[in-house]
Amino acid sequence: MTTWNSLFLLLGLGLLAVDAAAPWWKNASFYQIYPRSFKDSDGDGIGDLNGVTEKLEYLKEIGVTATWLSPFLKSPMADFGYDISDFKAVDPLFGSMEDFENMVSRAKELGVKIILDFVPNHSSDECDWFLRSAAGEEEYKDYYIWHPGFLDEDGNRRPPTNWVSVFRGSAWEWHEGRQEYYLHQFHKKQPDFNFRNPVVREEMNNVLRFWLEKGVDGFRVDAIYHAFEIEADENGNYLDEPRNDWTNDPDEYGYTHKIYTVDQPETPHLVYEWRQILEQFQADNGGDERILMVETWSPIEIVMHYYGNETADGAQIPFNFQLISNLHYDSDAYHYEYLINNWLNLMPEGKSANWVIGNHDKNRVGSRFGADRVDLFNILLLTLPGCSITYQGEELGMLDGYVSWKDTVDPQACNCYEENYMDNSRDPARTPMHWSDETMAGFTTGKSTWLPVSTDYRQRNVKTERGVSLSHLNVFKRLQQLRQEPSIEEGSAEVKAVSNYVLAVKRHLSGDFVYISLFNIFDSIENVNLSNVFGSLPAKFQYALVTEKSIKKVGDQVSAGSVTLMPHEAIVLRSTTTA
């Protein structure tokens, strides 16, 4: 038994690292659930909240700290839940408020935290607030962005600006009842809120308070960089955005350079306000820290503002989309090194990193980078410093499912043409989760699903992979165990390209073992001298994690001076002595 005197001695010598104040989210493993596709409990072919509750033990099995759920609130489903008609109600498609409360209760029993997808930029056009605004009710008339537009020389009415919707076409839609255009940066059934109206801001604050009272542990904030547009001039008019030169299609989102519709300077301050709401709730109610995770596809220098400034805290986790946005199939190790270190170097002092490589809006990792690299990316995300965010099914190596034009439901694709819809469709990454090799992949007891089940479900599913020692699933679970090691949980990180082909990540905490992850990105056999990469190192290492591509076993020893990597192999090594 360690005495207090010996504990203090160890602390003084730097041989024992104790960070009792480390927040729960700092090194957490987050898992994104897309409820429609996770688990169907009632046989209607659509996933639901009871399905999530049923599978919460699986999250515990794979080492997940917290899960954020894509929207399940009341919605006409024009954009599958991102068009909310009631911000304080569960859509019957997914269950009831009682089902939600049961899910939260079960999650708390298991120690899995629940993060709600908060969609503040817009509502549904069927939201009561919009209906009242469109009717011109005084209290609600400025909840949204309205403008009468202009009459051209022929007497035809035209939109206020050339702004383009993310989903193609004008970002302005004429409302016959109000006789004005409203702004919608996404679907025409998703009118944008007017966040320059303090009443709207307080409505959103109250939405946060409502769900905090319901027991959620934080929020993933959707599309935050769209929240503000440039302020109207003294005449109530807006400026056209300048043209881009790479497309002549005025309906294409890239037709204009986005200088007035995203990344306005007011936007991070909105997040600072929401952080205060969460901190006040915690001060009043106690418990673990509630968090904000914000989605912004902005330049990295702008993303950093969401962490906070000199006087205000922002989001604990502004999503790091550097890897998901800028890595490509043929990116070499120097590109990986730059993107990782650039985030770490630009991150404000005292803040924590996060890593994302997949989500419901992007093709699956194995489809973008190759099925041979699934383990490589999971090992990278889970051995870098900070928290990781994994999209459902990536732990299995799920690939994009084929969704025909006939079966396509994603509005982003449906607004395109049959010959190019696949370039814009998000449906392939949203096909149902593979639970087993049984009919419908164990996702539903029904005879059909809202999107077709991928044809490879018999090879890539939870049940099958549980029984294969070096399956993607079991490699993922082993990684989660390694994340508990002090050097990986709290140690320093060095990220270096060994060559064009090999990336190396060193994690170390004084007094603990040295861990080195190696990633052979391409399809050649490579040999690495670790001492040439990181300088002074222990002479011997042992394999702490291997994959199906490895010719070594866990526990095998290897010299630091000569480590051989098979094509697309990724491994984790641990020194045989502490340092």
Side-chain angles (χ1 to χ4, degrees):
M1 182 175 179
T2 304
T3 66
W4 284 110
N5 286 339
S6 62
L7 179 61
F8 290 140
L9 178 61
L10 289 168
L11 285 167
L13 293 173
L15 297 177
L16 183 65
V18 177
D19 185 5
W24 67 265
W25 51 266
K26 182 179 178 183
N27 302 297
S29 173
F30 289 89
Y31 187 87
Q32 181 194 354
I33 288 177
Y34 193 72
R36 293 182 73 94
S37 297
F38 193 61
K39 183 65 171 72
D40 171 24
S41 70
D42 59 9
D44 67 354
I46 299 172
D48 47 47
L49 294 182
N50 285 337
V52 174
T53 304
E54 177 187 331
K55 293 300 184 181
L56 284 172
E57 289 188 13
Y58 170 73
L59 302 190
K60 195 69 176 176
E61 173 191 337
I62 64 173
V64 167
T65 315
T67 179
W68 67 270
L69 287 80
S70 292
F72 52 82
L73 305 187
K74 192 171 182 182
S75 167
M77 300 295 164
D79 190 22
F80 297 99
Y82 285 93
D83 51 317
I84 296 172
S85 57
D86 188 338
F87 285 81
K88 298 178 182 178
V90 173
D91 194 284
L93 190 69
F94 298 109
S96 65
M97 186 61 77
E98 183 180 4
D99 294 333
F100 171 79
E101 292 166 350
N102 290 339
M103 180 188 72
V104 171
S105 177
R106 179 59 177 149
K108 291 187 183 303
E109 289 176 3
L110 293 170
V112 175
K113 296 184 182 296
I114 298 293
I115 309 298
L116 187 78
D117 210 332
F118 176 50
V119 186
N121 179 70
H122 48 259
S123 74
S124 165
D125 65 346
E126 298 181 31
C127 178
D128 185 60
W129 299 335
F130 183 78
L131 296 176
R132 292 179 172 217
S133 185
E137 290 189 25
E138 186 64 28
E139 182 181 351
Y140 295 93
K141 69 175 184 177
D142 293 327
Y143 264 46
Y144 300 84
I145 309 292
W146 293 95
H147 193 284
F150 301 101
L151 292 176
D152 63 22
E153 54 197 26
D154 297 322
N156 298 313
R157 192 169 295 276
R158 64 176 178 82
T161 68
N162 67 346
W163 298 352
V164 184
S165 162
V166 174
F167 290 171
R168 287 184 59 83
S170 175
W172 298 96
E173 182 73 11
W174 178 254
H175 191 281
E176 194 63 34
R178 180 154 164 163
Q179 290 289 294
E180 287 190 296
Y181 291 93
Y182 63 85
L183 179 68
H184 61 94
Q185 292 209 53
F186 292 86
H187 197 285
K188 67 181 180 181
K189 288 182 67 62
Q190 294 171 297
D192 276 36
F193 282 118
N194 175 16
F195 273 102
R196 299 189 187 280
N197 182 345
V199 180
V200 170
R201 287 161 77 145
E202 187 58 20
E203 287 278 22
M204 289 294 106
N205 291 346
N206 286 331
V207 170
L208 294 176
R209 295 183 182 110
F210 176 86
W211 290 105
L212 287 168
E213 291 284 355
K214 288 290 184 182
V216 303
D217 298 286
F219 302 89
R220 177 265 188 184
V221 183
D222 179 66
I224 187 61
Y225 60 123
H226 289 277
F228 279 93
E229 300 74 34
I230 190 173
E231 193 166 9
D233 65 21
E234 63 273 12
N235 297 314
N237 296 325
Y238 300 94
L239 295 171
D240 279 348
E241 291 186 315
R243 279 281 315 276
N244 276 327
D245 59 7
W246 60 269
T247 177
N248 291 317
D249 182 356
D251 289 337
E252 175 71 45
Y253 185 61
Y255 182 74
T256 58
H257 183 44
K258 311 301 175 193
I259 61 173
Y260 300 139
T261 52
V262 298
D263 294 329
Q264 300 305 296
E266 300 92 338
T267 310
H269 296 271
L270 193 58
V271 175
Y272 305 165
E273 290 181 28
W274 293 336
R275 177 69 179 268
Q276 291 175 1
I277 298 292
L278 269 60
E279 290 185 348
Q280 185 61 53
F281 184 86
Q282 186 176 351
D284 294 342
N285 296 275
D288 289 342
E289 182 177 355
R290 279 72 169 185
I291 68 164
L292 291 173
M293 313 169 81
V294 297
E295 179 202 26
T296 176
W297 301 86
S298 308
I300 189 170
E301 294 80 9
I302 292 176
V303 177
M304 293 299 161
H305 292 305
Y306 287 95
Y307 274 118
N309 59 22
E310 295 80 4
T311 61
D313 287 326
Q316 291 93 334
I317 305 172
F319 276 152
N320 175 1
F321 291 142
Q322 294 304 296
L323 302 182
I324 202 172
S325 296
N326 299 315
L327 276 184
H328 308 289
Y329 180 84
D330 56 356
S331 294
D332 65 19
Y334 291 101
H335 194 191
Y336 285 66
E337 176 194 50
Y338 169 76
L339 293 173
I340 294 167
N341 285 329
N342 193 42
W343 181 276
L344 295 174
N345 292 334
L346 290 176
M347 192 169 61
E349 184 177 356
K351 302 303 182 182
S352 187
N354 70 90
W355 310 97
V356 187
I357 195 64
N359 65 25
H360 66 296
D361 285 332
K362 297 293 182 181
N363 296 99
R364 285 196 172 275
V365 173
S367 294
R368 275 182 285 139
F369 296 102
D372 283 344
R373 292 173 173 167
V374 166
D375 290 329
L376 185 151
F377 277 103
N378 283 336
I379 294 170
L380 181 63
L381 258 64
L382 273 66
T383 58
L384 285 170
C387 67
S388 62
I389 298 99
T390 299
Y391 177 50
Q392 67 181 45
E394 300 291 10
E395 76 279 13
L396 304 175
M398 280 182 63
L399 304 176
D400 286 349
Y402 172 70
V403 183
S404 69
W405 172 246
K406 176 184 175 183
D407 290 332
T408 292
V409 293
D410 177 16
Q412 187 166 289
C414 292
N415 287 342
C416 297
Y417 304 100
E418 184 171 358
E419 56 267 26
N420 70 344
Y421 81 98
M422 285 293 286
D423 294 335
N424 295 280
S425 181
R426 299 169 295 179
D427 287 340
R430 300 176 177 183
T431 56
M433 179 76 171
H434 300 172
W435 293 105
S436 73
D437 57 359
E438 299 162 2
T439 303
M440 297 296 179
F443 166 73
T444 181
T445 56
K447 295 182 178 180
S448 63
T449 52
W450 79 282
L451 282 176
V453 174
S454 183
T455 56
D456 66 349
Y457 74 88
R458 288 185 174 85
Q459 291 76 46
R460 302 174 187 274
N461 65 75
V462 172
K463 178 183 175 182
T464 298
E465 293 196 26
R466 276 176 175 152
V468 179
S469 61
L470 292 179
S471 66
H472 300 308
L473 177 61
N474 283 326
V475 167
F476 188 89
K477 289 160 70 172
R478 172 63 178 154
L479 273 168
Q480 297 284 40
Q481 295 170 354
L482 286 176
R483 278 170 69 90
Q484 309 307 311
E485 297 295 328
S487 280
I488 296 180
E489 187 173 40
E490 292 289 347
S492 62
E494 290 182 66
V495 181
K496 293 186 176 182
V498 177
S499 65
N500 286 330
Y501 308 101
V502 178
L503 181 75
V505 177
K506 176 188 173 186
R507 304 297 309 278
H508 181 231
L509 189 68
S510 180
D512 190 36
F513 298 100
V514 178
Y515 286 84
I516 296 178
S517 304
L518 293 172
F519 308 89
N520 186 8
I521 298 168
F522 297 109
D523 55 3
S524 59
I525 297 174
E526 298 294 324
N527 188 268
V528 178
N529 183 335
L530 294 176
S531 298
N532 289 343
V533 181
F534 294 114
S536 178
L537 286 173
K540 291 287 185 182
F541 281 76
Q542 64 181 22
Y543 287 82
L545 182 141
V546 298
T547 72
E548 64 175 359
K549 300 189 179 306
S550 304
I551 58 174
K552 299 290 187 178
K553 301 188 298 294
V554 169
D556 285 353
Q557 293 197 5
V558 63
S559 167
S562 181
V563 181
T564 299
L565 296 169
M566 303 307 290
H568 297 135
E569 183 182 11
I571 59 173
V572 180
L573 301 175
R574 183 181 71 181
S575 61
T576 57
T577 58
T578 57

